[in-house]
Amino acid sequence: MNSIKGYIQSIRSQNSSLQVSRSIAGCIEKRILELQTLFSIRFPWLRLRSARQENTRTDGLFSAMAFKVLGGIFLLVIQAACTDVVDVEVQNGPERLVVEASLDWEKGTPGNVQTIRLRKSTPFFDTSTTTDVTGASVVVTNDTNGTRFVFADQNNGTYQTTTFEPILGQSYSLRIEHEGEVYTARETMTPVTEITNVFQDREEGFDDEALEVHIVFTDPPEEGNNYLFRFQRRGDLLPDLEVAEDEFVNGREIDWWYEIDDDDDDLLPFEPGDVVDIEMYGISTPYYDYIKILVDQLGGQGLFETTPVAVKGNCINETNSENYPFGYFRLTEVVKTSYTFVEDE
């Protein structure tokens, strides 16, 4: 995405508009007629056919040379004449606060160090504006016991605390004060079960020749457990995200598998020696609904899928509801592991 954005930005810096090539049949036909009139000859493929019929070596050589010369001229003229200049107007929405407040408690760790990032949204083609938000007041409060955790401004868009106390099942509130406006959100610290096994196979995926990684865990007996999975092969730029709920597998052992999508032309399938990092989060139902829409939209829109829509998180602007922020305040427990692929036995 960054490379595409940079490419578009470079074009716009050199031209006042984007040039969009339209290979329209009518336009090409028109240029062919103009060239025939201009050079008072027929096009080479017609000459070559007459040369074969007359069995004339000279005509054939001339036709071959003419084909190369006129072919180049033809392509240049067509490209120049069939390129329309289109001014692409990209709509710029209002500048909004973007809240990245994921308080994730990894199993087996104290979870006391947590970071929240604030920035401003910018127009798509703007790559020079600093988006970091500094000077804000950021506080998280445990709604049950009233404990307040102040996130100190690091002067780079991040706010950090080293005293956070994660308690599963308890509700927490986020309060941000910035430029005279107050933003709030509320979420519950959601637990996650343990991963009991990790292995590789080739049988469950869409491609029976491709390696896939499996993680095994047992869903808790209570209903309403939701999961976010994050898979990233070391060396790949971006991770893959997947979500699941326990509607049909409540209380059962679950074998969740993942393979590289064969529709992704930019990534090769897993190979022996590859290492994939795996994270499994326990997430609340509201966050499941939110992230599921985002994951579906990131996967692209098919012929029969709905049009992408703007997705609002759980953060609201108490001062001005119309100036709502982007992002989500989540509290999750997470279990992390990794797997190294080996040669098939």
Side-chain angles (χ1 to χ4, degrees):
M1 177 64 72
N2 290 335
S3 62
I4 295 175
K5 179 178 176 181
Y7 174 69
I8 295 176
Q9 181 69 21
S10 66
I11 294 176
R12 289 179 61 88
S13 65
Q14 299 172 10
N15 304 277
S16 58
S17 60
L18 296 176
Q19 291 188 336
V20 182
S21 179
R22 295 180 174 177
S23 299
I24 304 174
C27 178
I28 294 177
E29 181 179 359
K30 180 180 179 182
R31 301 308 158 195
I32 291 175
L33 293 175
E34 291 177 353
L35 284 175
Q36 288 178 339
T37 303
L38 177 62
F39 294 101
S40 298
I41 61 172
R42 302 181 69 183
F43 266 85
W45 57 82
L46 300 179
R47 293 282 300 189
L48 286 172
R49 182 169 58 181
S50 64
R52 289 195 297 269
Q53 291 173 346
E54 298 171 8
N55 195 24
T56 304
R57 180 180 177 87
T58 304
D59 282 350
L61 290 174
F62 172 77
S63 298
M65 294 174 63
F67 181 81
K68 294 180 180 180
V69 175
L70 292 179
I73 297 174
F74 171 74
L75 291 177
L76 290 175
V77 174
I78 291 298
Q79 183 178 5
C82 296
T83 300
D84 292 340
V85 176
V86 179
D87 291 325
V88 178
E89 296 294 337
V90 180
Q91 294 183 349
N92 294 328
E95 184 182 74
R96 297 190 185 278
L97 181 68
V98 180
V99 180
E100 299 177 24
S102 297
L103 307 189
D104 301 323
W105 178 21
E106 182 179 357
K107 278 183 177 290
T109 69
N112 58 298
V113 178
Q114 297 291 341
T115 301
I116 292 174
R117 184 184 179 192
L118 303 179
R119 57 187 176 87
K120 286 286 189 178
S121 62
T122 60
F124 180 80
F125 290 110
D126 186 352
T127 59
S128 59
T129 302
T130 300
T131 62
D132 297 335
V133 170
T134 59
S137 169
V138 180
V139 178
V140 172
T141 304
N142 184 312
D143 297 330
T144 302
N145 58 30
T147 304
R148 298 173 74 252
F149 307 99
V150 177
F151 285 67
D153 187 358
Q154 306 299 304
N155 297 314
N156 60 359
T158 62
Y159 297 76
Q160 188 176 82
T161 184
T162 58
T163 62
F164 186 70
E165 298 175 0
I167 303 177
L168 295 175
Q170 292 199 358
S171 172
Y172 293 78
S173 294
L174 169 68
R175 180 183 176 90
I176 300 170
E177 297 182 19
H178 177 61
E179 295 183 345
E181 297 188 335
V182 177
Y183 305 85
T184 62
R186 179 174 293 175
E187 178 68 302
T188 299
M189 175 65 74
T190 307
V192 71
T193 187
E194 293 278 3
I195 294 176
T196 57
N197 192 20
V198 184
F199 65 94
Q200 71 182 54
D201 207 342
R202 295 181 185 267
E203 297 181 357
E204 300 296 332
F206 297 107
D207 184 347
D208 58 8
E209 296 183 358
L211 282 170
E212 73 248 3
V213 62
H214 292 245
I215 58 174
V216 181
F217 59 95
T218 300
D219 181 72
E222 62 270 14
E223 296 181 356
N225 295 289
N226 306 283
Y227 304 94
L228 169 65
F229 303 95
R230 184 182 188 273
F231 299 93
Q232 184 165 17
R233 177 172 51 188
R234 294 181 186 176
D236 289 349
L237 180 61
L238 298 173
D240 266 354
L241 303 179
E242 298 183 351
V243 292
E245 58 182 347
D246 68 354
E247 181 178 2
F248 302 108
V249 293
N250 184 53
R252 300 180 184 178
E253 183 178 78
I254 299 173
D255 177 356
W256 190 273
W257 55 266
Y258 168 75
E259 71 176 3
I260 300 295
D261 190 348
D262 56 2
D263 291 333
D264 193 337
D265 297 331
D266 297 328
L267 295 177
L268 297 175
F270 287 126
E271 296 180 353
D274 285 348
V275 180
V276 57
D277 293 318
I278 304 166
E279 300 176 4
M280 182 173 74
Y281 300 80
I283 58 176
S284 65
T285 297
Y287 184 71
Y288 169 82
D289 295 336
Y290 169 83
I291 196 66
K292 185 176 186 301
I293 295 175
L294 293 182
V295 170
D296 289 344
Q297 293 187 359
L298 285 173
Q301 296 300 311
L303 179 62
F304 300 105
E305 295 182 73
T306 57
T307 302
V309 296
V311 184
K312 293 184 181 180
N314 61 346
C315 300
I316 61 175
N317 187 328
E318 298 279 3
T319 309
N320 178 10
S321 60
E322 295 299 320
N323 186 30
Y324 59 86
F326 293 135
Y328 207 98
F329 173 53
R330 82 177 187 197
L331 292 97
T332 67
E333 187 180 30
V334 55
V335 58
K336 300 180 180 181
T337 188
S338 62
Y339 183 81
T340 302
F341 288 92
V342 297
E343 295 286 353
D344 294 329
E345 297 181 356

